[in-house]
Amino acid sequence: MKKKILGIAITIMLITVGCGKPNYKQLETDFTSLAKKYYEEQLEGKVLGFDNHKISLEVMEQVGYDITPFTEKNCDKSSYSLIKLTLNEESEVVGDYEVENHLTCGSYSTPEEE
């Protein structure tokens, strides 16, 4: 009987609390979205002639963006997204930009692309 009650208690705890492992794929997606928002609102069309922009969680926090979802998952504020642009000969942006994350949350880090 004690084993059954213990089993039920553990099951209820796992359901209500979860297994404790954050969904890093979703966190990466959210980080990309926040970096795009920052770039489009703060830098796009204002900072010219650069093909890369490094945007850290710390910088986003300083200008008022909500980084709580990341700090709650123990992400280091030095985590950053790199906005990569393609420039023509006149240093004008051509085409779309790319976002490359460098997220560090506890023992998790963005996987290296090969």
Side-chain angles (χ1 to χ4, degrees), residues 35-109:
K36 284 180 174 183
K37 179 180 177 183
Y38 180 92
Y39 171 72
E40 291 168 4
E41 292 177 355
Q42 305 294 325
L43 301 173
E44 188 173 36
K46 299 172 188 166
V47 179
L48 307 173
F50 293 94
D51 61 355
N52 288 308
H53 297 281
K54 184 177 177 179
I55 305 167
S56 69
L57 283 173
E58 184 175 29
V59 167
M60 288 187 237
E61 180 182 46
Q62 288 173 355
V63 295
Y65 287 77
D66 180 18
I67 65 165
T68 306
F70 304 98
T71 55
E72 285 178 347
K73 301 289 192 252
N74 198 30
C75 295
D76 191 300
K77 289 184 182 179
S78 66
S79 297
Y80 66 95
S81 284
L82 189 61
I83 305 294
K84 299 169 121 181
L85 308 168
T86 302
L87 304 178
N88 64 16
E89 295 81 26
E90 291 82 35
S91 295
E92 299 169 329
V93 177
V94 291
D96 292 329
Y97 60 89
E98 181 184 333
V99 179
E100 179 183 289
N101 288 339
H102 297 269
L103 191 58
T104 303
C105 306
S107 61
Y108 172 81
S109 292

